[in-house]
Amino acid sequence: MALRKIVLKNDDVLRKKCKPVEKFDEKLGILLDDMAETMYNAKGVGLAGPQVGVLRRIAVVDVGEGLLELINPEIVKFKGTQRDVEGCLSCPNEWGYVVRPNEIIVKGQDRTGKYFQLKLKDFFARAVCHELDHLDGKLFIDIADEMVDPKDLKD
Ligand code: NI
């Protein structure tokens, strides 16, 4: 496994729409392993392909409930709303309030290509929505309704 370089917000690669993953091969496994290692090393809860310069529909998420690998993910159902503070490994030291669905059903494939469906809520749902936005070139700073001074988050 290896750490990959995290792309920062002014890079165009973060603004592109990602293509679906078509090959479920060894290279994909290595990418997923590297992405998880990079996310944990940066103390993040999610990381999407474009953030390591890979324009494919792929993301990893771990909000403390174990690692979730998402390949070609799609939200097929959402319910309710929640508003809370978000950050992003590509936007260091920026925080802002974002409204997200409170509950989602996400469909995707695992690293072997097998399809699955998951019902997620609260922070887990938020993290997955944030990562899926990355796959369409969207950042949380585009949709935050209020930015927060990091100093105000300390207490
Ligand atoms: Ni992000």
Side-chain angles (χ1 to χ4, degrees):
M1 294 213 282
L3 291 177
R4 305 247 178 159
K5 190 168 174 260
I6 298 176
V7 169
L8 296 179
K9 76 167 181 181
N10 292 322
D11 198 310
D12 284 349
V13 84
L14 292 175
R15 295 306 189 174
K16 305 247 160 78
K17 197 172 160 68
C18 295
K19 291 189 177 139
V21 170
E22 280 158 1
K23 280 194 209 152
F24 294 84
D25 55 8
E26 197 187 329
K27 205 176 148 198
L28 177 69
I30 292 168
L31 173 62
L32 284 161
D33 290 344
D34 287 356
M35 284 174 67
E37 192 184 355
T38 305
M39 171 183 75
Y40 290 127
N41 181 260
K43 297 184 167 44
V45 297
L47 192 69
Q51 293 183 279
V52 291
V54 177
L55 289 170
R56 291 285 172 178
R57 306 194 77 80
I58 180 172
V60 291
V61 173
D62 189 340
V63 293
E65 297 184 40
L67 179 64
L68 174 63
E69 296 177 341
L70 289 159
I71 298 151
N72 300 330
E74 253 178 85
I75 295 172
V76 291
K77 224 175 197 175
F78 47 91
K79 202 169 102 183
T81 58
Q82 53 168 321
R83 182 179 180 269
D84 213 335
V85 174
E86 264 177 48
C88 178
L89 292 176
S90 293
C91 312
N93 300 313
E94 288 192 79
W95 306 90
Y97 281 94
V98 182
V99 176
R100 299 280 188 191
N102 195 49
E103 235 179 270
I104 58 169
I105 292 176
V106 64
K107 198 177 89 176
Q109 284 167 278
D110 69 12
R111 61 166 70 199
T112 69
K114 200 174 131 207
Y115 286 91
F116 63 86
Q117 198 167 288
L118 277 174
K119 189 175 172 181
L120 304 172
K121 56 181 185 171
D122 305 327
F123 187 54
F124 205 162
R126 165 176 301 282
V128 167
C129 290
H130 175 116
E131 298 316 321
L132 264 65
D133 275 355
H134 275 297
L135 307 183
D136 291 318
K138 266 188 272 171
L139 299 179
F140 87 95
I141 46 174
D142 306 336
I143 54 168
D145 59 48
E146 186 189 345
M147 296 306 285
V148 183
D149 189 322
K151 288 196 296 265
D152 295 336
L153 290 174
K154 296 269 157 70
D155 32 69

